[in-house]
Every structure is written in C-alpha cells, then in structure tokens.
Amino acid sequence: MGITIQQELEQIKQRGLYRSTRMIDGTQGPHVEMDGRDMLMLCSNNYLGLADSPALIRAAVEATERYGTSSAASRLVSGTMALHEHLEREVAAFKQCQAALIFNSGYAANTGVIAALVGRGDVIFSDRLNHASIIDGALLSSARLIRYPHNDVRALEALMKKHRGSGRTLIVTDAVFSMDGDMAPLRELVELKEEYKALLLVDDAHGSGVLGEGGCGTAELLGVATKVDILMGTFGKALGSFGAYVALSAELRDLLVNRARSFIFSTSLPPAVLGASLAALKIVRSPEGASLREKLRGNAELFRALLVGSGFSLPEGTTQIIPVLVGAVQTTMRFSEMLLGEGIFVQGIRPPTVPAGACRLRCTVMASHTQQDLEWAAERICVVGKQLGVI
Ligand SMILES: *Cc1c(COP(=O)(O)O)cnc(C)c1O
C-alpha cells in the first residue's frame, strides 16, 4: 500500500526540501514585480535580456498572424511548417554544422536524443554533475550508465578503458554546468571520444548565445565547434524564447527523426515560438548580440569580484552563473528568504539538484543589469551572509 500522499509531502517538508512556485507579474526583466513589489531578478536564465525584447515580441506576433497558433501535430504527421525548416537552416548555419533538428525543449531533446543513440548493450559516460534531463535520458535508454567524477578526464579515461565493450559508447556532458557555472574540458573530451571512437553529446543550454566570439557557445570558445558530434542548445534561456535544437550531421539527424521518441510523439513547436527563436538568433549573430555578450561578461566579472571581495567562496569559473556556496539546507533557504525581504529574488538550490551539503544560492547575472543593481545586490548579500554566519 505504501505511505499516503500526505505523508510523503510531510516527509519532503521535514527534510527542508519542499518546493513551491513563486509568481511574478509582468515580463522577465532585470527587475520583476512580486506581490506588488519591485524585486531585483538574480536567478533568471534570460542572460541577454531578450525575453521582453520588442524584436522577439514582434516576430512572435507576426508569425502567429501569418501561420496561426498551433502546429497541430507531430512533425512526422502534419506538423512540419516552413518555420521549422527555416529555423533549422539558420541553426545549422550558425553552428556551421551539416544539419539541425528542433526539439520542444531541452528536456525533450536530451531524453529523446540519448535514448535514440544508445540502448541495451551500449555504455553512457556522464559527468556526475550533468543536468537531470541527461540522467533521465540515460535511464530511458536502458544503456549502462557510468557517471564519472566532475570534469575529471583522467578518471573518465580509466573508466572507458575498463568498460570497453562491443556496443556504442556515448560521452555526455553539460558544456557550462548549470548549478556550478564552470565549463567542461571539451578539448580533452574530443580527444578521448576520437581515441575511443565514442559519440560526444554536449549540452550547451547555458553557453549558447553567450560564449564564444560569435555567441556560438562553449565549443566555439574552446575551439572545438566542429568536433562535437551532437551539440545541443536551448532557445529558452539566453535566446529569450523556448525550445531546443541539436546541431549534427545529416546522417545523425536522419536517425533522430526516425528514433527520437520526444520528436516523433509530440506536437511540434508553434509558430509564435519559432518566430521568436528566429528573431533571437538574428540578434545573437549581430553586432547587438556581441555587445550584449560583452555587457554580460563585464557584469559577471563585476559581480564575482564583489562577492569574493566580501569574503564569499565561489567555485572556480568565469560565466554568468555564480553560485554562492552555503552548505546546509536550512541556512540556504533562510538566506534566500531574507534576500526576498531585501528585494532580491535568488533561489536556494537543494538536493536533488545539487549533492547534500552543497546547497547554494545560484545567482545569475544578466546583460540588462546595471552596475548599480549588482553593487547594491552584492552589498545586501554580504549583510545577510554576515547575519547568517556564512561569511
Ligand atoms: C535548462 C536545461 C535543460 C533543459 O532545457 P529546457 O529547454 O528548459 O527544457 C537541459 N540541460 C541543461 C544543462 C539545462 O540547464
């Protein structure tokens, strides 16, 4: 019979792991309205500030007026519209890949792609800190899942030697780790995958649009843009829209069209979303995109320096994801609550998102934050951090 739903909820609460949603009024800007109050937004993935961009809004409206509100079916039934193929051509050109395939979300991409590429008898090597959608994809695939210590290429190689098998081998990693903000050693992973004839899937949900000269992402920044077999990115974070893509060879695309269940069995993205994504890509690839990236880099540098200067210990990194390590669940959630009281919205991150004892505030800066926003936030975080004995 098992425990009741009520008992299960009680258990979650007792462990300090109870989650609920918080409502925001208005758009996802650098400031948001919460319960009628102005709050500084410090936990959004809207890194370039495009989520309320007039160009994206106009593109979404125009796409809707021209093509309607729904795609009405899976791409393989009647749901492939001109905009889907247009967006795929643009993504492939942007990533300098043969082909691209659009998925309904990053979650759908990872679960669909991994389970399509490997199955029983195959092996997946996955970084210990990879996103939940990668783990879910691995579990769905029925392939053997071997998790390697975070960013430890030597340990990975030892594991690959030990588990050399007859089936396919897939290495999968976040490019920028979503809760830590550090980058995967993509150059070394490319060498390994070449030596062991493995496939390499890189999830660049947090680097696309943000990193590299052209905003192409982490692989561009690290000089391996053309060496990754499957480069996944999302439209819902820096690109201010929704959905995801994989950039890959025409052959791999063909396989996914035939095998990826989240592609096959789900209604495709609607015109409004595709229109907004096309407009976002255009901005990312323009001089405006380059200047937004520069602003974001400057903001990340400033905020990291301010926090370190106040005595916080930050994990190594340079990106816009800036985790303030706290440790215990209760202190972390209290920290977040007290900052809400100050007018700063930043989430405490707990298990299972991060390992027990590694709770943190996950601060993210945006290109649209002002220097004054960040100086003020760092000062308030410092005051609350002292009150809680974190620093
Ligand atoms: C957010 C995220 C995803 C999921 O993407 P959605 O489009 O939000 O479903 C996948 N991987 C990583 C690393 C992410 O941070």
Side-chain angles (χ1 to χ4, degrees):
M1 203 181 82
I3 60 170
T4 65
I5 305 293
Q6 191 191 2
Q7 285 167 331
E8 182 169 348
L9 282 166
E10 258 333 296
Q11 282 182 0
I12 295 172
K13 284 181 187 163
Q14 273 163 15
R15 289 188 200 126
L17 301 180
Y18 183 74
R19 300 174 188 226
S20 59
T21 49
R22 254 183 231 289
M23 198 178 70
I24 283 169
D25 270 325
T27 62
Q28 288 279 352
H31 290 254
V32 295
E33 201 184 310
M34 201 185 270
D35 303 326
R37 252 183 97 201
D38 175 78
M39 306 286 283
L40 179 69
M41 172 57 95
L42 210 57
C43 57
S44 167
N45 300 322
N46 177 23
Y47 303 129
L48 298 179
L50 295 181
D52 58 355
S53 147
L56 268 68
I57 294 169
R58 209 177 322 116
V61 170
E62 280 171 8
T64 303
E65 282 173 351
R66 182 152 178 213
Y67 296 103
T69 49
S70 172
S71 73
S74 153
R75 293 273 299 276
L76 287 167
V77 180
S78 62
T80 295
M81 302 176 81
L83 285 175
H84 290 102
E85 306 236 327
H86 184 183
L87 183 56
E88 284 174 353
R89 279 196 303 279
E90 293 297 319
V91 169
F94 180 45
K95 300 282 169 179
Q96 295 179 0
C97 271
Q98 257 183 2
L101 189 66
I102 306 296
F103 280 84
N104 289 357
S105 68
Y107 189 92
N110 281 337
T111 50
V113 169
I114 295 172
L117 290 177
V118 290
R120 223 172 284 286
D122 300 330
V123 187
I124 302 168
F125 295 95
S126 170
D127 189 288
R128 201 157 260 296
L129 296 188
N130 276 345
H131 191 261
S133 56
I134 292 176
I135 298 167
D136 293 357
L139 295 177
L140 262 178
S141 75
S142 306
R144 171 138 193 224
L145 171 61
I146 295 172
R147 298 171 80 197
Y148 60 89
H150 177 52
N151 276 351
D152 189 338
V153 179
R154 275 170 185 232
L156 170 59
E157 180 162 21
L159 286 165
M160 290 183 78
K161 272 198 181 120
K162 188 170 155 198
H163 296 281
R164 237 175 183 160
S166 50
R168 266 188 212 145
T169 303
L170 175 70
I171 303 173
V172 53
T173 186
D174 280 19
V176 173
F177 286 85
S178 51
M179 297 301 136
D180 291 70
D182 57 343
M183 288 178 220
L186 293 185
R187 251 171 289 179
E188 291 80 356
L189 292 177
V190 163
E191 281 169 19
L192 263 191
K193 80 106 187 167
E194 283 173 353
E195 193 179 332
Y196 288 81
K197 305 205 181 341
L199 289 165
L200 177 61
L201 166 60
V202 171
D203 172 345
D204 207 10
H206 297 280
S208 329
V210 167
L211 296 177
E213 262 318 291
C216 207
T218 315
E220 182 200 3
L221 180 74
L222 300 178
V224 292
T226 56
K227 306 251 163 111
V228 174
D229 299 292
I230 306 113
L231 198 52
M232 178 278 213
T234 63
F235 292 110
K237 289 172 178 160
L239 279 89
S241 177
F242 184 66
Y245 60 82
V246 285
L248 66 193
S249 68
E251 186 179 65
L252 275 169
R253 181 185 185 280
D254 213 15
L255 181 76
L256 293 183
V257 168
N258 283 277
R259 287 264 192 267
R261 294 170 67 86
S262 59
F263 176 82
I264 300 170
F265 296 108
S266 191
T267 302
S268 61
L269 290 177
V273 166
L274 300 166
S277 295
L278 277 163
L281 263 189
K282 202 162 158 190
I283 292 176
V284 160
R285 298 170 78 182
S286 72
E288 184 189 349
S291 87
L292 288 173
R293 282 191 287 282
E294 198 171 305
K295 183 83 197 304
L296 180 64
R297 264 194 298 274
N299 278 350
E301 208 171 298
L302 169 70
F303 198 59
R304 281 176 180 273
L306 288 169
L307 291 177
V308 169
S310 309
F312 286 104
S313 67
L314 304 185
E316 211 172 306
T318 54
T319 67
Q320 72 281 0
I321 300 172
I322 305 171
V324 172
L325 291 178
V326 180
V329 172
Q330 268 73 17
T331 320
T332 308
M333 299 323 285
R334 182 87 193 105
F335 207 153
S336 168
E337 281 297 325
M338 286 169 75
L339 288 175
L340 278 177
E342 298 275 348
I344 299 172
F345 186 24
V346 54
Q347 287 284 5
I349 308 290
R350 299 164 280 181
T353 313
V354 293
C359 299
R360 64 199 63 186
L361 297 178
R362 176 183 181 267
C363 302
T364 50
V365 297
M366 297 158 61
S368 44
H369 283 135
T370 64
Q371 183 176 338
Q372 197 190 359
D373 283 336
L374 297 178
E375 284 171 353
W376 173 75
E379 193 259 324
R380 297 324 297 165
I381 290 173
C382 177
V383 168
V384 174
K386 279 187 181 144
Q387 283 171 6
L388 289 172
V390 176
I391 48 170

